[in-house]
Amino acid sequence: MRILGIETSCDETSAAIVEETGDAAKPWAIRSNIVASQVPIHREWGGVVPELASRQHIRDICGVVEAALDDARTSWADVGAIAVTQGPGLVGSLLVGVSFAKAAAAAANLPLVAVHHLAGHIESLVLHNGEMPLPAVVLVVSGGHTSLYLVERHGHYAPLGRTRDDAAGEAYDKVAKLLGLGYPGGPVVDRLATEGNDRAVALPTTRLTHADRNAPALKGDLDFSFSGLKTAVLRHVRAHERSLSGQEVADICASFQRVVVTVLIDRLFDAARRHQAKSVGIAGGVSANSRLRAEFIQRGERREVSTFLPSLSLSTDNAAMIAAAGLRKLRAGITSPLDVNADAGLVL
Ligand code: KG4
Ligand code: ZN
């Protein structure tokens, strides 16, 4: 079966056709994955402007879906189901994808599958590499999320920890902004970090030891916090009132990146050890980070646990991962009614 996936949760309008392979070890193959990025529109404002994002999704959605069908040499008659991101995300953005998907499902008489955005990021690992040995622990780390999940059975994602404040990608974006490096910050900080001394600036790490009042069911010691780190970088920059040299900027980037990567990897492998994971994965936009990828693979080899990463194009928001998560749900017998609504705060 071929499924049409649609993703509009933030600032990328994306549509994809993913098909089942019949191979249980590597169940899905991408036939097309079209992404219309709005980065140039939001760059001018230093971050995503929700109202501009939803208006641009409306302009782009029809053309993006047509391009995904064309690219996959697929007609509507060959599509067996439609998967769409229901949440979490910006509600105005989500509504465009959800409304389009509902209308298309009604018009073409196809089953509709509403997908959680983070389930999509987790399934991007399977889409790219094949099934992960279970139990698996996956870190989803992006501009909006830094969350750890335990996958004991296919399609079941149990939360283990999450950020209490900023997401790691958000911290990258904010640090880049205060260093005057532009938006999005992750790729440029990553590049400059390779030219800096990662011990030049002493920056704090945060280890949480108590449960979050907003999520008392979790112990809380696998949670993250990045706002203090961001503030420490801000203080350091303010303390150097004269303008920073290129080398000083690179040193800040390297020192910041060392702390972020160390915290992410330590917490992920702590969780993996506690849950005797047979595999570990990192998904989401920040999984494109060069140091994170390298340290992740090294630590996996040392701990003798298999490591899963998405391709660079599957790490940032895209509809192929939503299509894959949709196929997972569809095969478990789960579809959504046509009155399903976008949910900006959807819980996995
Ligand atoms: O998954 P994604 O495309 O969108 C969200 O769901 O948020 O992730 C975007 C985030 C941005 O914060 C961006 O700065 C970050 O991923 N990012 C990186 C790198 N490439 C993208 N962060 C660190 N290093 C990178 N190489
Ligand atoms: Zn995302």
Side-chain angles (χ1 to χ4, degrees), residues 117 121 142-144 169-170 172-173 184-187 190 284-286 288-289 315-317:
H117 182 75
H121 276 300
S142 69
E170 192 180 353
Y172 266 95
D173 294 338
D190 188 3
V286 182
N289 185 267
S315 73
T316 46
D317 288 349

Side-chain angles (χ1 to χ4, degrees), residues 201-288:
V201 185
L203 295 169
T205 45
T206 311
R207 174 106 230 187
L208 294 154
T209 53
H210 55 285
D212 181 354
R213 272 181 304 168
N214 296 316
L218 298 177
K219 269 176 77 187
D221 57 347
L222 290 172
D223 281 356
F224 302 90
S225 166
F226 294 104
S227 68
L229 174 62
K230 172 196 67 190
T231 308
V233 174
L234 178 67
R235 288 227 183 86
H236 179 83
V237 171
R238 290 226 176 114
H240 294 72
E241 273 176 9
R242 60 184 174 72
S243 63
L244 294 160
S245 70
Q247 188 56 49
E248 284 168 320
V249 170
D251 287 347
I252 295 171
C253 291
S255 304
F256 167 78
Q257 177 148 295
R258 182 177 67 81
V259 173
V260 175
V261 168
T262 305
V263 167
L264 293 175
I265 299 272
D266 282 355
R267 215 73 95 241
L268 170 59
F269 280 90
D270 265 9
R273 186 175 35 78
R274 277 188 216 181
H275 294 277
Q276 287 151 20
K278 295 205 176 103
S279 62
V280 282
I282 306 183
V286 182
S287 72

Side-chain angles (χ1 to χ4, degrees), residues 115-168:
V115 169
H116 192 287
H117 182 75
L118 298 191
H121 276 300
I122 294 169
E123 298 299 352
S124 74
L125 299 173
V126 177
L127 179 59
H128 184 60
N129 304 286
E131 293 288 8
M132 299 177 74
L134 301 182
V137 171
V138 178
L139 170 68
V140 182
V141 63
S142 69
H145 306 276
T146 303
S147 299
L148 277 169
Y149 288 94
L150 172 66
V151 186
E152 286 182 300
R153 282 183 296 140
H154 293 310
H156 293 261
Y157 320 98
L160 297 176
R162 58 176 188 166
T163 181
R164 300 272 181 99
D165 39 59
D166 291 352

Side-chain angles (χ1 to χ4, degrees), residues 46-123:
V48 178
V49 183
E51 184 61 25
L52 294 180
S54 41
R55 285 167 191 266
Q56 194 61 34
H57 284 306
I58 291 171
R59 288 187 199 104
D60 286 339
I61 185 75
C62 293
V64 165
V65 171
E66 276 172 13
L69 290 166
D70 282 356
D71 215 31
R73 280 186 234 96
T74 298
S75 69
W76 280 105
D78 304 320
V79 175
I82 300 178
V84 64
T85 307
Q86 182 189 4
L90 301 170
V91 74
S93 292
L94 289 164
L95 272 170
V96 178
V98 169
S99 307
F100 185 97
K102 290 199 290 193
N109 197 23
L110 291 171
L112 178 68
V113 191
V115 169
H116 192 287
H117 182 75
L118 298 191
H121 276 300
I122 294 169
E123 298 299 352

